[in-house]
């Protein structure tokens, strides 16, 4: 049995969206490996503005470097609910 819930157009909700890796990390080309410990991100946004995914550009990621939640470029009106240091 599924439970549905109605939300107002101007209501902010918390949802989980997938992370989408974009680009090729120079560190991978230099012999490193790309480790992706997170595959989804918890975000808060308007119910009508849920992003399909959050794109993560790895085009400048070198060996030993990391991208944290605080580094992500989020769509307008979308706030990450996950720890910024993750």
């Amino acid at each position: 049995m599924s439970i549905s819930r109605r939300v107002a157009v101007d209501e902010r909700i918390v949802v989980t969206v997938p992370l989408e890796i974009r680009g090729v990390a120079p560190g991978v080309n230099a012999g490193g490996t790309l480790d992706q410990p997170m595959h989804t991100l918890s975000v808060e946004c308007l119910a009508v503005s849920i992003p399909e995914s959050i794109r993560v550009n790895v085009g400048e990621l070198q060996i030993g470097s990391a991208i944290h939640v605080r580094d992500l470029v989020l769509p307008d009106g979308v706030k990450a609910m996950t720890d910024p240091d993750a």
Side-chain angles (χ1 to χ4, degrees):
M1 179 170 99
S2 68
I3 299 174
S4 62
R5 180 177 164 232
R6 290 182 182 238
V7 294
V9 172
D10 61 347
E11 183 177 349
R12 294 185 66 82
I13 60 172
V14 176
V15 294
T16 301
V17 294
L19 294 173
E20 180 182 343
I21 301 298
R22 294 293 209 153
V24 177
V28 171
N29 289 335
T33 58
L34 181 63
D35 181 26
Q36 183 185 353
M38 292 178 62
H39 295 272
T40 60
L41 184 68
S42 178
V43 298
E44 179 187 76
C45 61
L46 291 175
V48 296
S49 301
I50 299 171
E52 206 170 290
S53 65
I54 301 295
R55 292 182 176 167
V56 181
N57 183 357
V58 297
E60 297 183 20
L61 198 59
Q62 300 292 336
I63 292 177
S65 297
I67 297 174
H68 298 92
V69 170
R70 67 177 172 268
D71 302 322
L72 298 176
V73 177
L74 302 175
D76 288 339
V78 176
K79 176 183 173 186
M81 301 304 290
T82 304
D83 179 358
D85 293 326

